[in-house]
C-alpha cells in the first residue's frame, strides 16, 4: 500500500507528483516570504487544479504560492511580524493574485477583509490569497508591533483614554480643578512678583520721602 502526503502546516507548500509518491514533500516558504493557508490535496483532486499551496514542482511551487513579504515586515513560513516603525493590522485581507505585483503589493480597493489562517478556501476564493497588511506609523509611536507612550488604535494614531495629543505626543489629561489651580497660579504669581519688585525698587524713595517729612516738622 502506498501512502501519499495530502496536507501540511501553514507556511508550507505541498509538492505532489501523481506519478511518483517518493517525491511527496512539504517545503517551507523561502526566506522573506510567507503563506497563511494550509496546503491540502483531497483525494481525487489534481495538484494542477489551483488548490492553494499544492504544486508538482518544489521550486515552482514555492515561488508560485508563497507571498512576498510586505514593506516593513519580517516573514518566515506563516509568521509576518512588523519591523520597527511599522504596525501590522490585526486581520488579513484576501486579494486576487492577478491584481497584486510580485512584491506582494495589492490595491486595498481590490481586496476584502478575511480571517487569518483560513484552512479551506471556497470555489469563489480561487486565484486569491490571504495577505497581511502593514502600515508605517508616525515617528516614534510604535515598536515591535506595539504602540508606545500612550498611543493606541490603528497605526498607533490615537491616544489612550485620559490622554490627548500635545505637540504630536499623547500627554496625560489633567482634571478641571487642577487646570483651574494652574491657571490661577499663572495669573496670581506674576502679580505678586510685580508687587514685590515695585516694593523693593521704590523702597529708597519711600524711605527718603518719610525722612524728609519727619525733618520738616522740626
Amino acid at each position: 500500500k502506498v501512502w501519499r502526503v495530502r496536507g501540511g502546516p501553514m507556511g508550507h507548500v505541498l509538492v505532489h507528483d501523481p506519478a511518483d509518491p517518493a517525491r511527496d514533500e512539504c517545503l517551507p516558504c523561502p526566506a522573506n516570504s510567507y503563506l497563511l493557508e494550509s496546503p491540502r490535496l483531497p483525494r481525487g483532486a489534481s495538484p494542477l487544479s489551483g488548490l492553494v499551496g499544492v504544486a508538482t514542482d518544489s521550486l515552482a511551487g514555492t515561488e508560485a504560492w508563497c507571498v512576498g513579504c510586505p514593506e516593513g515586515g519580517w516573514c518566515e513560513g506563516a509568521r509576518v511580524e512588523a519591523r520597527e516603525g511599522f504596525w501590522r493590522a490585526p486581520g488579513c485581507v484576501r486579494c486576487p493574485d492577478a491584481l497584486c505585483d510580485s512584491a506582494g503589493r495589492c490595491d486595498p480597493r481590490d481586496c476584502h477583509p478575511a480571517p487569518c489562517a483560513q484552512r479551506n478556501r471556497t470555489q469563489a476564493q480561487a486565484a486569491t490569497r490571504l495577505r497581511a497588511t502593514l502600515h508605517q506609523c508616525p515617528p516614534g509611536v510604535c515598536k515591535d508591533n506595539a504602540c508606545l507612550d500612550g498611543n493606541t488604535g490603528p497605526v498607533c494614531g490615537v491616544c489612550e483614554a485620559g490622554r490627548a495629543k500635545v505637540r504630536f505626543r499623547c500627554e496625560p489629561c489633567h482634571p478641571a480643578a487642577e487646570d483651574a489651580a494652574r491657571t490661577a497660579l499663572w495669573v496670581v504669581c506674576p502679580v505678586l512678583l510685580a508687587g514685590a519688585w515695585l516694593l523693593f525698587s521704590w523702597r529708597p524713595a519711600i524711605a527718603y520721602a518719610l525722612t524728609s517729612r519727619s525733618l520738616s516738622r522740626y
Side-chain angles (χ1 to χ4, degrees), residues 51-131:
L51 293 168
V52 62
V54 180
T56 57
D57 180 81
S58 58
L59 179 61
T62 53
E63 289 183 348
W65 284 113
C66 296
V67 181
C69 198
E71 180 185 1
W74 177 88
C75 304
E76 181 182 48
R79 296 173 59 191
V80 182
E81 299 180 3
R83 297 185 184 273
E84 185 173 353
F86 285 81
W87 177 85
R88 180 184 171 181
C92 292
V93 293
R94 184 171 287 282
C95 308
D97 294 338
L99 300 179
C100 302
D101 62 19
S102 58
R105 293 184 293 265
C106 311
D107 189 333
R109 295 171 295 182
D110 298 323
C111 309
H112 63 271
C116 296
Q118 190 171 351
R119 181 168 293 277
N120 297 316
R121 296 191 302 173
T122 64
Q123 189 64 31
Q125 294 170 342
T128 66
R129 270 179 288 182
L130 285 175
R131 297 174 185 268

Side-chain angles (χ1 to χ4, degrees), residues 132-176:
T133 53
L134 279 75
H135 306 276
Q136 190 167 8
C137 302
V141 303
C142 67
K143 183 179 182 181
D144 299 328
N145 209 45
C147 300
L148 306 175
D149 300 329
N151 291 276
T152 187
V155 203
C156 304
V158 297
C159 294
E160 296 175 344
R163 290 175 176 263
K165 285 285 185 182
V166 179
R167 297 186 181 90
F168 306 105
R169 296 176 60 87
C170 287
E171 300 290 351
C173 296
H174 300 288

